[in-house]
Amino acid sequence: MYYKLKNNILQFYLKYKFSRKCILDKNITFSKDFIVGKNCKIGNNTIIGENVIIKDNVQIASYVLLSNIMIGKNSIIDSGVKIIGYGKGKIIIGKESYIGVNNVLDYSDNINVGNYVHIAGPSTGIWTHSSSKMCLNSIPIREKNIKYRPCSSVKIDNNVYIGGNCTIYPGVTINHHSIIAPNSAVNKDVESYILAGGVPVQKIKNLHV
């Protein structure tokens, strides 16, 4: 009872503090280490976890879960986006970028998303770990031994478009000025100035920007 009351008081104070700099909807939960820029908007039922920094003019829609992330100026995080993971990774989103509806980003390792990147929804996932070896070797699900749960970072350069319902695998780099077609499985690096797609991903054609 005491803990609940203390937490309610803290949340009331944090909401007052952050409302002086941005527009807040209802039922938002804040971590006390949250850092927010000016003129931001945060939608209802959003949870701001630990290690979250958002710069000026960022828009966060409803039912979003954020932690271990820095979001650049003028970027948009659409509804239902989930930032999840087990590990010490950090997610960095550049300026003027968009993360689409119901997308999932995994901070088990680092994810670096550049400027002017659009990752369309619904349900694109960017993964930095795999638990396939745990399944094959009967490893308990709560054991996080890196031998059986390897992690690797993902990099998405500036000026990239990724269609909806894609899966981006650990260790992948998507180079600048490229397009990933919807419903693709990106299990290898993608070069600049191409349209790529498919399962697994492959070059479809050159782009002339």
Side-chain angles (χ1 to χ4, degrees), residues 131-146:
S131 60
S132 60
K133 290 184 178 180
M134 295 177 69
C135 299
L136 297 176
N137 291 278
S138 302
I139 304 300
I141 194 168
R142 290 177 177 80
E143 185 172 330
K144 304 306 177 187
N145 188 327
I146 194 169

Side-chain angles (χ1 to χ4, degrees), residues 69-129:
I69 189 170
M70 182 172 71
I71 304 170
K73 292 181 180 180
N74 302 314
S75 289
I76 298 174
I77 309 297
D78 216 330
S79 59
V81 169
K82 300 291 185 288
I83 308 299
I84 60 173
Y86 296 95
K88 298 180 180 180
K90 178 77 174 181
I91 297 174
I92 298 176
I93 309 291
K95 67 180 182 180
E96 300 284 354
S97 290
Y98 170 76
I99 309 298
V101 174
N102 293 333
N103 289 348
V104 177
L105 282 69
D106 168 26
Y107 62 76
S108 296
D109 206 320
N110 296 330
I111 297 175
N112 196 319
V113 176
N115 305 322
Y116 299 94
V117 172
H118 294 187
I119 303 176
S123 306
T124 287
I126 303 177
W127 301 100
T128 59
H129 83 280

Side-chain angles (χ1 to χ4, degrees), residues 3 5 7 46 51 53 57 69-70 84 86 93 98 121 124 135 139 151-152 160-161 170 184-185 190:
Y3 173 79
L5 177 61
N7 186 64
T46 285
N51 304 314
I53 301 172
N57 302 310
I69 189 170
M70 182 172 71
I84 60 173
Y86 296 95
I93 309 291
Y98 170 76
T124 287
C135 299
I139 304 300
C151 298
S152 188
V160 168
Y161 177 87
S184 296
V190 175

Side-chain angles (χ1 to χ4, degrees), residues 4 29 41 43 53 85 101 103 139 145 148 156 199 201 203:
K4 185 176 181 180
T29 302
K41 296 180 180 180
I53 301 172
V101 174
N103 289 348
I139 304 300
N145 188 327
Y148 295 105
I156 301 171
V199 182
V201 72
K203 178 179 177 179

